[in-house]
Amino acid sequence: MEFGSAHNFLEGKAILVIGATGFLAKLLVEKILRVQPNIKKLYLLLRAGNSEEATQRLHDEVLSKDLFKVLRGMWGAEFVSFISEKVLAVGGDVSVENLGIKDTKLREKLWEETDIIINSAATTKFYERLDVAMGINTMGALHVLNFAKNCSKLQMLLHVST
Ligand SMILES: NC(=O)c1ccc[n+]([C@@H]2O[C@H](COP(=O)([O-])OP(=O)(O)OC[C@H]3O[C@@H](n4cnc5c(N)ncnc54)[C@H](OP(=O)(O)O)[C@@H]3O)[C@@H](O)[C@H]2O)c1
């Protein structure tokens, strides 16, 4: 896909990125916000028991990183309001059904709104216990697929994996 068309494709879209504290997903999140600020919403699923914990992780492990310096510079004093308007941290866990999103209203909102799902959640420890690795990398992929099937507007499901 040409850069121009990818950029245009993202405009006005509600995008769910799963595994947003990860190496690849952080780069993706920064790039989307930098090149296409006119997205509808960026939902970031982070491994957490609730949205407060997820929001804390979003600030501590994603937005506070040097990677976001350029974006902070671009928005200056409006960075915080830009982020609160466009980004929502969602607590969850891919290894359980419905991605571990306990808030039913939020789950239904995601099913209604999401245009694009990008799953980058995985255990990347090659010496991980087999049951744990199966739960995240295999069952996780299935849970993402089942979640995607409930998204009435979905245009793209991108699964990132080794
Ligand atoms: N990095 C590369 O160069 C590269 C190259 C090719 C392919 N890949 C593949 O791309 C994917 C992402 O790689 P990465 O390097 O970004 O990995 P990473 O830095 O280890 O990130 C993995 C992400 O998955 C999340 N996660 C793990 N278990 C989860 C769960 N149960 N529920 C929700 N989130 C969970 C982690 O969250 P926590 O912070 O909670 O652990 C983290 O945010 C992997 O499948 C990897 O094999 C990576």
Side-chain angles (χ1 to χ4, degrees):
M1 193 184 275
E2 292 295 319
F3 171 74
S5 60
H7 171 261
N8 293 340
F9 177 67
L10 294 173
E11 186 168 7
K13 297 289 192 305
I15 307 160
L16 170 63
V17 177
I18 304 166
T21 56
F23 174 74
L24 290 183
K26 269 202 291 256
L27 293 171
L28 177 75
V29 165
E30 190 275 341
K31 177 130 190 184
I32 292 174
L33 292 172
R34 182 163 44 80
V35 305
Q36 186 45 280
N38 296 322
I39 48 164
K40 181 174 179 189
K41 199 86 181 178
L42 193 52
Y43 293 102
L44 301 182
L45 189 133
L46 300 99
R47 185 156 41 175
N50 54 50
S51 57
E52 290 74 29
E53 205 186 309
T55 304
Q56 192 64 49
R57 289 200 70 189
L58 171 65
H59 287 280
D60 296 349
E61 298 174 49
V62 182
L63 299 174
S64 64
K65 298 291 171 192
D66 282 353
L67 173 67
F68 286 82
K69 261 187 181 171
V70 174
L71 196 66
R72 281 180 185 278
M74 280 166 66
W75 285 89
E78 287 170 52
F79 178 76
V80 174
S81 58
F82 168 64
I83 293 295
S84 27
E85 187 197 337
K86 296 292 179 179
V87 181
L88 188 76
V90 177
D93 184 334
V94 286
S95 67
V96 296
E97 277 182 23
N98 291 321
L99 309 180
I101 304 169
K102 294 173 199 139
D103 180 338
T104 46
K105 276 197 182 148
L106 176 59
R107 211 159 63 208
E108 278 161 18
K109 190 177 163 67
L110 287 167
W111 287 341
E112 258 170 48
E113 270 190 23
T114 307
D115 300 290
I116 301 168
I117 296 180
I118 300 166
N119 179 31
S120 190
T123 173
T124 48
K125 294 179 194 155
F126 292 112
Y127 49 85
E128 184 63 271
R129 273 176 47 165
L130 185 62
D131 58 340
V132 175
M134 282 282 290
I136 300 171
N137 295 359
T138 306
M139 297 310 291
L142 179 65
H143 295 141
V144 172
L145 180 63
N146 288 337
F147 193 88
K149 284 180 180 170
N150 285 313
C151 296
S152 49
K153 285 174 63 192
L154 198 75
Q155 294 186 39
M156 180 189 282
L157 166 59
L158 176 65
H159 179 72
V160 184
S161 177
T162 299

